[in-house]
Every structure is written in C-alpha cells, then in structure tokens.
C-alpha cells in the first residue's frame, strides 16, 4: 500500500507539539530558518533542543560550578573530563544516566547505559580500566522493584563482563519516591597518555567524515526526547525507544578505535549516543566552528526502507563518527574492516557553518549549526522554596527507644545498609587483576601498572581511588546542605583508602524543572556542590543532567527524591595499603576520629525506626573535614592502622556493627552521658571515622592525626558487639540481619 514518506508529512501545530517543541521555540526556529522545517528537520530540532541534549533548564546553573584546577586537563563540554595523574598519564572519566530506558526495559536499558559511558571514555583515547554504578529503586517489597533489580543488575554485569572491564564499586539505595522511576547511573574511568587525548571536533575543510561500527537500525528512535519527559501510565508503550546493545561488537569497536589512534589519521572522534548521528555530527561541527554535509545513502543500515528521519534519530549502539585527514580514509577503513566493522565515508567538513543532509540526491535538511547548539533554548526557570520544608526541617519530639539493640538490627537489615554482595558478585570486579580494594569498601582502589599505558619514566605504581555517593534523603530535606555533604563524604571515603581527590563527575537526577519547587531543589543543590568543591579544591570535570524523573498516575505526579549522584576520582601513590574490610583480630584499640556527633536530623534512624523524614541534614565543617581527610591518608600511608571506616548512614552504631561482620567483636563505651543514646549511636554528623590499631601504637597514631579529635572507645575481641549500658548483640545476629535482606527478598 502506498503511503506518504515521513519526509513528506505536513508540519502542523499538533506535530510540533508531539515533538515536544514549545510554541515560542518553534517560532524561533521559523525566524532563523525563514521557512517551515521539513519533517526530518523537525525531528532533528526536537532531539537537539530536548532537555537531554541541550541542558536548557540547567546550563545557567552548571556554569557556576568550579571546573578548573591544577590537575584539570579537560573540563566539561567534551565527551568526558580528564585529570593529570603525573608521569605523563591522565585519567578520563564521566558519569551518565540511563534512567527511563532502564525502567522500561531493565536489561537493555542498563546494558546500553554501560556501553554508552564506555564509549564516552575510549572516544577520547583512554582505555577503560574500571566501572562504577549508582542505582536507586523503589520499595523493596514492590513487585516492580523485584522485577527491575535483577534486570538492571544483569544488564550492567552482562555488558561490563563481556567487555572485560571490572565493575569495582558503586552504591544502591531504596525509597518509595523511586517506585515509578528507578535511577541507573553509570561511571567509567580510563587511562591514557595525556598528550594523546582525542577531542570531538570537526575541523579542516574537505576532511572526510566516517561512520564506523555497527549498522543503523530503528532501535532507540526518539530516546533523547523520551528521556526529557515525565513518565505516565503508558511508560511500557515506550519500549521501542530503548536501544539494544551488543557488548561483543563494542569490544571490537574499542580495540579498532584504540588501534587507529596510534596512527596520524584522526582529526576528531565522537560517540553516537543520545540522538545518534544527529547529535554526534552537530556537536562536532559546533565545537569546530565548522559545517558538515552528509550523504545518508552511505550510512550502513541493517533495516530496509529507513527514512532520513529514522537514520538521523536512531540510537543504535556501538557506533562512532570520525573526522579524518584527507587521504587517510582507506587506511581507516582497512583497520575497521580488519575488526569486521563497518566503515563508510558519509560526509565532509565544510566552512559554511551549515548542517546539511542529502538523501536520494535531494537535500532533506539544511540548518545553521548554531541553531542546534549555542542557540538552543536556555531557560532561567522560576524557583520557589517548597512551603512544606518549614515543617519538614523541624525535628519533633521523639521518644528514645527502650531497646537500641533492636534498632541497630533493623538498621543493619535496611536495604540501604544491608549487604549488596548479591548485586556486585554478578559483576566481574577482578578482571584485569588490578582491583586492589574490591566492592563493599569505603572506596575502590585500582592499580595502574607502570608502563602499561605507554608512560615513560614512571616513578612507581599508581592507584586510582574511585567512589560513588549520594544521600537523597539529606538532599530532599535541604538541597544545598545535603549536596555539600555528599561531596564531603565522597572525599572522606577516598581518604579511607589513602587517595587524594583529583576531580568529580556528577549525574544530577531531579524531577520536572518546569515546576518551581523542583527547579529550586536543583539550583540549591548546585550551590551546595559548588561551595563544597571550592572549599575542598575538587573540580567538576564532567557530568550529566537527568530531569523529568517524575511519574504521573491519574492526576498525581510523584517526583523522585532529588539525587545528585557524585563519582569522585582520587590518586594514591605508594605501596598497596594494608587495610582490612573488617576488624582483623582481637586486642585492637578502637577509636573515633572527629567529634562525637549526635545529629539526628535527616538520619536513616529517624526514617527507618520512627517513619520520619524530618530535620536538617548535617552541615559540613570544612576545616575539620579536611583535617580528618589528611589524618586518614596519613594513617593509611603509615601502614600501621589495619582498619579505617568512615561514618555515614546509621552513624556510629552501624559503623561499629559493620566493623564486626568479619567475626571479631568489640566492647566499647560511649562518653557523653548527657546526650541521648540514640543520637550518639545513630546520628549522622559528617567529619567522622572509626579506626583500629595496636594499643602500643597510640602515640604514633596521635602524632599522625595532629589536631583531629580522637575518642578511645574500646577494644576488639569476642563474638559480640557490646556498647556498655546500651546494647549487647551476638555478631551472628548482626550478620544475619545484614546479609539476608536482598537474597530473601529477591529469591
């Protein structure tokens, strides 16, 4: 049956609205173009002006973050950020979201999220060395949650394991605000010689543009616009917008790209991620201040009858766009053909500042590059502090529980605290044999072998410290204070493995920015992040914004807790730290570093035991926090302190219980008899850690920590955790509570 091709569809108000383009935005497009766009052009405008690609609600706020520093080689704006590791090496890293796709199709959504972030890193010439993830799910007893977790975990593990890249850490939390919208944030770090970093730019008039990798299909069309809209009750109908990944194809693509990068061919290289061929070509032209002309008939396709609209908007995976030096295209083709990958010349760089596409001998798109990049809409959206915060930030009178042992057991069983090995054991975290500190610790530590990445004159082995952190409850109750606290906690976790922070990447997950209260949360979160990063001298070098994480059922829209996920990269140099995941033996002195702390506001204890999300989250005292980090690094470097652990969810009580999970108990006592015992045990003040060391080393420890307060709590030993006068529990009960939550629920 004959039908009108999509290129011939008439443009009317309904079609413009269907593409998510506002009346004012469309009027701007008409003014610049001086005509009505074609159907293909309308699709291109739709994806390039989507929230996902244009950051139109967030750009003005992101510009306030500190992005420069002595270690920064490449900041935001490229495929990933890069920091200097010394000895001629750089770490390249980024974090991105794949939230909506993972909710719709858990396995492929999560898998292609991993594949996409891997491409962002090796596009820049870096060989990926480690992955992290940050996951959020709804209530654990919800059937949808029980469906999502296995699918997402299998997708992450399946892709990373096939690629041979270890997933060395991450975090997983649960809350009812994620019932209708899970979060899947993926992070990758790679290593490269710092003078061999490649950028995504189109330059050199006449230089050929090559499409390399997998063929184009109809999967993922309008994935970018789908990721820029709220969910509704029809979310399952969006399954066709989810991309399908092939990790084995990506492994070939990685090796082919890294081989080509050893030759003098590449001018620019860009991953085809969100909005596929459209975004990659437009962004390369934008960075290069150039134009591009493409012949869509030359694009390798795996499906018949694809239209220009479909070709340009497809988000088929495992594809790259290259600009190469004229005369090298056959050399480039030969390398990719060796790896059994498509390689086709699909266009040329021009100097007219136009983005043009031809198909069947006709020009089907012709638009100024700036219209799609710098001139994309940018909004300073209205903000309004939620009125409900007035009550939420006040802490009501609560009765102190009679049995704090029972409280501790319930906290150990809470899925935010409970054992996550059911998850991370499905990831290969040891492939490559460079994972020194494994999942489950405060931070991961990954070895960079001397000479393995082309570096010369190496002065010794280096280690990357890696951590992902976010406490949505803290951010929900005060976005500025809560986000600042997450930066501090990430750096504190790195300090527990001896690493000095070099840079941060973020994945900012929020609700609908068109709602003033949500926009206020976002803006305040950026303020807190900027404040903390400046105080701690940790630059933000890359990141991602994921908005519209909100689900409407009937007339009710539910937004996720504001979740600014952070991943921080640090550097440790020296011998492998002598650290244990739990207390290694009896007879060790246990001590608390930092103030006692008794801050109950926004704590997991309040939420879990009293059903309250109330109070202010703890504030960060930056001088004290930084002094603690220096002390922790000194203790790691001295190699005489076999156990360190920061305090976070569940406070001191949970930290002590976690220390005992290896089978060695502890007998401790708490000072501060005037304080509420529940506050001393379960308050979540920042700037604290517990350590354990031989009593004879006390003077040495005191000398290393300087002015950091230290409270001697007790000694390790026995088969119980005893907090004198407060609780006394067998380790076996603590372990049972901690280890059974996920397996029992998901089985």
């Amino acid at each position: 049956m004959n039908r009108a091709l999509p290129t011939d569809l008439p443009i009317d108000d309904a079609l413009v609205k269907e593409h998510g383009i506002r009346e004012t935005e469309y009027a701007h497009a008409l003014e610049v173009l001086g005509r009505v766009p074609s159907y293909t052009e309308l699709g291109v405008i739709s994806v390039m002006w989507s929230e996902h690609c244009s950051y139109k609600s967030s750009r003005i706020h992101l510009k306030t973050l500190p992005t420069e520093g002595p270690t920064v080689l490449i900041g935001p704006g490229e495929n990933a950020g890069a920091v200097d590791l010394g000895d001629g090496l750089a770490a390249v890293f980024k974090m991105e979201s794949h939230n909506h796709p993972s909710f719709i199709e858990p396995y492929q959504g999560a898998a292609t999220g991993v594949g996409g972030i891997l491409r962002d890193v090796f596009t820049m010439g870096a060989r990926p060395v480690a992955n992290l993830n940050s996951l959020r799910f709804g209530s654990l007893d919800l059937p949808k949650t029980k469906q999502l977790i296995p699918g997402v975990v299998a997708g992450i593990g399946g892709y990373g394991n096939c690629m041979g890249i270890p997933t060395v850490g991450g975090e997983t939390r649960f809350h009812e605000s994620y019932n209708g919208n899970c979060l899947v944030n993926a992070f990758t770090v790679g290593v490269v010689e710092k003078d061999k970093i490649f950028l995504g730019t189109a330059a050199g008039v006449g230089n050929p543009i090559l499409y390399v990798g997998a063929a184009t299909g109809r999967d993922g069309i309008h994935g970018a616009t789908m990721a820029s809209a709220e969910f509704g009750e029809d979310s399952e109908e969006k399954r066709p917008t989810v991309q399908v990944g092939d990790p084995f194809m990506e492994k070939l693509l990685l090796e082919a790209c890294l081989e080509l990068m050893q030759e003098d061919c590449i001018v620019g290289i860009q991953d085809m991620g969100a909005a596929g061929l459209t975004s990659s070509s437009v962004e390369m032209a934008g960075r290069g201040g150039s134009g591009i002309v493409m012949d869509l008939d030359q694009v390798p396709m795996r499906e018949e009858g694809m239209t220009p609209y479909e070709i340009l908007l497809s988000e088929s995976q495992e594809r790259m766009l290259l600009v190469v030096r004229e005369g090298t295209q056959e050399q480039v083709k030969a390398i990719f053909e060796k790896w059994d990958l498509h390689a086709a010349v699909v266009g040329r760089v021009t100097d007219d500042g136009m983005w043009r596409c031809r198909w069947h001998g006709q020009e089907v798109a012709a638009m100024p590059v700036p219209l799609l990049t710098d001139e994309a809409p940018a909004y300073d959206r209205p903000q309004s502090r939620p009125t409900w915060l007035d009550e939420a930030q006040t802490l009501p009178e609560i009765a102190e529980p009679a049995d704090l042992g029972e409280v501790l057991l319930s906290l150990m069983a809470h899925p935010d605290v409970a054992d996550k090995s059911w998850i991370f054991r499905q990831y290969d975290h040891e492939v490559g044999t460079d994972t020194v500190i494994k999942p489950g610790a405060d931070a991961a530590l990954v070895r960079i072998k001397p000479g393995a990445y082309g570096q010369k004159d190496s002065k010794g082995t280096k280690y990357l410290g890696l951590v992902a952190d976010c406490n949505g409850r803290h951010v929900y109750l005060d976005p500025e204070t809560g986000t600042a606290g997450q930066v501090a906690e990430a750096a504190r976790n790195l300090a527990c493995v001896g690493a000095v922070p070099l840079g941060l990447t973020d994945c900012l997950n929020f609700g609908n920015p068109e709602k003033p209260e949500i926009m206020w949360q976002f803006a305040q979160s950026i303020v807190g992040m900027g404040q903390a990063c400046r105080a701690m001298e940790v630059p933000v070098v890359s990141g991602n914004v994921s908005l519209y994480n909100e689900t409407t059922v009937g007339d009710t829209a539910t937004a996720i807790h504001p979740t600014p996920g952070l991943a921080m990269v640090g550097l440790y140099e020296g011998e492998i730290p002598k650290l244990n995941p739990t207390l290694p033996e009896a007879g060790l002195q246990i001590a608390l570093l930092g103030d006692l702390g008794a801050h109950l506001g926004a704590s997991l204890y309040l939420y879990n035991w009293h059903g309250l999300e109330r109070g202010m989250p703890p504030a960060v005292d930056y001088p004290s926090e930084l002094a603690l980090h220096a002390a922790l690094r000194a203790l790691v470097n001295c190699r005489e302190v076999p156990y360190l652990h920061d305090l976070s969810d569940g406070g001191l009580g949970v930290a002590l219980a976690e220390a005992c999970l290896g089978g060695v108990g502890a007998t401790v006592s708490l000072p501060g008899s005037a304080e509420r015992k529940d506050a001393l045990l379960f308050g979540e003040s920042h700037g604290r850690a517990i350590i354990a060391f031989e009593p004879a080393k006390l003077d040495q420890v005191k000398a290393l920590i300087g002015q950091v307060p230290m409270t001697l709590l007790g000694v390790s030993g026995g088969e119980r955790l005893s907090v004198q006068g407060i609780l006394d529990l067998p380790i076996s009960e603590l372990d049972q509570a901690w280890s059974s939550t996920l397996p029992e629920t998901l089985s």
Side-chain angles (χ1 to χ4, degrees):
M1 182 175 66
N2 294 328
R3 64 178 180 85
L5 290 174
T7 49
D8 301 324
L9 288 178
I11 308 301
D12 56 24
D13 292 344
L15 192 61
V16 172
K17 184 178 181 180
E18 184 182 322
H19 279 74
I21 302 171
R22 298 174 178 274
E23 290 184 14
T24 54
E25 295 173 348
Y26 185 59
H28 175 63
L30 292 177
E31 181 182 359
V32 173
L33 292 174
R35 58 177 173 81
V36 173
S38 69
Y39 180 72
T40 298
E41 290 173 328
L42 188 70
V44 168
I45 293 170
S46 169
V47 295
M48 293 307 300
W49 287 7
S50 69
E51 194 74 58
H52 191 80
C53 291
S54 74
Y55 289 27
K56 57 189 176 186
S57 299
S58 59
R59 290 206 308 265
I60 64 168
H61 301 284
L62 298 176
K63 289 178 179 178
T64 67
L65 292 171
T67 59
E68 298 178 346
T71 66
V72 178
L73 299 173
I74 296 175
E78 273 292 340
N79 290 292
V83 296
D84 196 338
L85 296 176
D87 292 342
L89 292 181
V92 176
F93 58 95
K94 190 181 181 183
M95 193 176 192
E96 277 197 338
S97 64
H98 233 218
N99 303 334
H100 286 24
S102 298
F103 186 84
I104 296 168
E105 212 301 302
Y107 184 94
Q108 290 296 347
T112 52
V114 174
I117 198 65
L118 285 169
R119 289 195 300 279
D120 280 339
V121 169
F122 73 74
T123 295
M124 299 185 67
R127 180 171 289 278
V129 297
N131 295 332
L132 301 173
N133 54 71
S134 178
L135 310 177
R136 297 292 184 279
F137 299 105
S139 301
L140 195 52
D141 58 355
L142 199 70
K144 181 66 174 179
T145 302
K146 295 178 183 180
Q147 176 215 345
L148 287 170
I149 295 174
V152 166
V153 170
I156 293 171
Y159 210 101
N161 295 352
C162 291
M163 288 289 294
I165 299 167
T167 299
V168 299
E171 51 139 20
T172 305
R173 293 176 184 258
F174 302 81
H175 190 274
E176 58 265 26
S177 71
Y178 307 104
N179 282 353
N181 199 132
C182 67
L183 302 183
V184 178
N185 296 174
F187 164 95
T188 292
V189 60
V191 178
V192 63
E193 292 180 83
K194 70 177 185 180
D195 59 353
K196 295 182 179 179
I197 296 175
F198 290 82
L199 304 179
T201 186
V205 176
N207 277 334
I209 300 169
L210 273 79
Y211 171 119
V212 301
T216 293
R218 289 187 169 92
D219 50 316
I221 293 174
H222 268 300
T225 48
M226 181 270 292
S228 306
E230 296 179 358
F231 273 163
E233 295 173 277
D234 62 345
S235 61
E236 291 295 326
E237 298 175 10
K238 297 179 179 179
R239 189 176 297 271
T241 63
V242 179
Q243 311 93 326
V244 178
D246 182 347
F248 300 105
M249 179 76 74
E250 179 132 329
K251 175 64 173 174
L252 298 177
L253 183 63
L254 181 155
E255 298 300 340
C257 287
L258 294 183
E259 180 178 336
L260 179 63
M261 289 167 176
Q262 302 305 309
E263 309 297 328
D264 187 23
C265 299
I266 297 177
V267 175
I269 178 170
Q270 180 77 19
D271 160 45
M272 292 193 216
L277 184 57
T278 292
S279 63
S280 57
S281 56
V282 168
E283 289 171 5
M284 292 182 82
R287 296 190 189 109
S290 62
I292 277 180
V293 58
M294 292 190 296
D295 183 354
L296 301 183
D297 293 318
Q298 304 306 313
V299 173
M301 286 174 273
R302 66 171 186 263
E303 297 185 48
E304 295 182 358
M306 291 188 68
T307 65
Y309 184 102
E310 293 171 325
I311 296 167
L312 287 166
L313 271 63
S314 166
E315 294 184 7
S316 295
Q317 298 291 285
E318 296 84 40
R319 305 179 298 161
M320 295 281 194
L321 201 65
L322 309 180
V323 175
V324 304
R325 303 186 194 282
E326 174 60 49
T328 67
Q329 47 266 55
E330 293 306 316
Q331 182 182 356
V332 174
K333 286 182 180 180
I335 289 175
F336 282 91
E337 287 169 3
K338 185 186 83 172
W339 290 96
D340 200 24
L341 295 168
H342 294 285
V345 176
V346 297
R348 297 273 175 178
V349 179
T350 65
D351 62 357
D352 63 359
M354 294 291 290
W355 183 83
R356 302 178 187 272
C357 295
R358 295 172 180 156
W359 183 67
H360 293 0
Q362 296 182 338
E363 190 168 79
V364 294
M367 293 182 284
V369 171
L371 175 67
L372 303 173
T373 55
D374 298 340
E375 295 176 15
Y379 299 118
D380 186 1
R381 295 196 184 277
Q383 301 176 34
S384 175
R385 181 182 180 275
T387 55
W388 52 262
L389 274 179
D390 293 335
E391 179 180 355
Q393 290 181 344
T394 61
L395 198 58
E397 291 290 330
I398 57 170
E400 188 168 358
D403 189 344
L404 294 180
E406 189 176 347
V407 175
L408 179 56
L409 288 171
S410 74
L411 285 170
M412 296 298 287
H414 190 278
D416 284 7
V417 173
D419 183 19
K420 306 300 191 304
S421 61
W422 184 93
I423 293 173
F424 62 70
R425 283 176 181 167
Q426 297 182 58
Y427 311 146
D428 190 338
H429 52 266
E430 295 187 339
V431 62
T433 68
D434 290 323
T435 308
V436 174
I437 295 181
K438 302 171 185 178
D442 291 306
L445 209 61
V446 177
R447 180 191 296 109
I448 303 172
K449 292 189 181 80
Y453 301 94
Q455 67 268 40
K456 303 175 180 62
D457 303 321
S458 177
K459 298 180 178 66
T461 303
K462 301 176 184 290
Y463 302 85
L464 290 175
L466 307 171
V467 66
D469 267 311
C470 187
N471 187 322
R473 187 174 54 258
H474 285 193
V475 181
Y476 171 73
L477 287 166
D478 189 88
E480 179 182 341
T481 304
T483 305
Q486 303 321 296
V487 177
E489 183 178 349
R492 189 163 66 247
N493 279 318
L494 288 180
C496 286
V497 298
V500 178
L502 297 179
L504 176 151
T505 182
D506 57 50
C507 195
L508 308 176
N509 309 273
F510 289 78
N512 184 345
E514 299 169 50
K515 298 177 179 179
E517 292 187 353
I518 300 295
M519 199 64 233
W520 179 86
Q521 290 178 330
F522 181 88
Q524 290 298 302
S525 179
I526 295 295
V527 169
M529 187 186 304
Q531 177 192 69
C533 287
R534 290 184 185 90
M536 307 181 76
E537 298 182 344
V538 183
V540 180
V541 301
S542 61
N544 172 244
V545 177
S546 176
L547 302 177
Y548 296 95
N549 290 289
E550 196 158 314
T551 303
T552 299
V553 179
D555 295 328
T556 303
T558 303
I560 63 165
H561 268 7
T563 311
L566 309 174
M568 195 174 289
V569 174
L571 178 65
Y572 173 77
E573 298 180 274
E575 298 181 67
I576 297 178
K578 290 184 176 180
L579 298 173
N580 295 277
T582 56
L583 291 168
E585 59 184 287
L588 298 177
Q589 175 69 63
I590 300 170
L592 172 70
L593 298 185
D595 295 330
L596 277 175
H599 189 97
L600 279 180
S603 64
L604 179 61
Y605 158 65
L606 280 183
Y607 175 65
N608 181 59
W609 190 259
H610 295 281
L612 296 173
E613 284 190 295
R614 296 282 296 271
M616 283 289 291
V620 181
D621 182 323
Y622 293 108
S624 298
E625 188 76 46
L626 289 167
L628 174 68
H629 299 180
L632 290 169
R633 289 194 293 268
L635 293 173
V636 173
N637 285 322
C638 83
R639 302 172 61 80
E640 298 289 350
V641 177
Y643 183 75
L644 305 95
H645 183 33
D646 93 306
L647 270 61
S648 56
D649 289 298
L652 179 60
V654 166
L656 288 169
E658 290 173 336
C660 296
L661 291 173
V664 177
T667 300
V668 302
S669 58
L670 300 183
S673 57
E675 298 282 354
R676 292 178 58 130
K677 299 298 188 291
D678 57 348
L680 287 171
L681 269 180
F682 309 124
E684 294 180 5
S685 302
H686 290 297
R688 301 186 298 160
I690 58 171
I691 62 174
F693 53 91
E694 294 178 11
K697 306 286 187 182
L698 178 60
D699 289 342
Q700 184 180 355
V701 169
K702 287 182 176 179
L704 288 168
I705 66 173
Q707 298 302 306
V708 174
M710 180 170 67
T711 304
L712 301 180
L713 298 176
V715 296
S716 64
E719 297 178 353
R720 307 178 73 86
L721 171 62
S722 177
V723 184
Q724 294 183 354
I726 299 177
L727 61 83
D728 185 62
L729 292 168
I731 295 173
S732 58
E733 285 190 29
L734 291 167
D735 184 80
Q736 174 63 24
W738 176 76
S739 63
S740 60
T741 298
L742 284 183
E744 287 184 1
T745 302
L746 297 176
S747 63

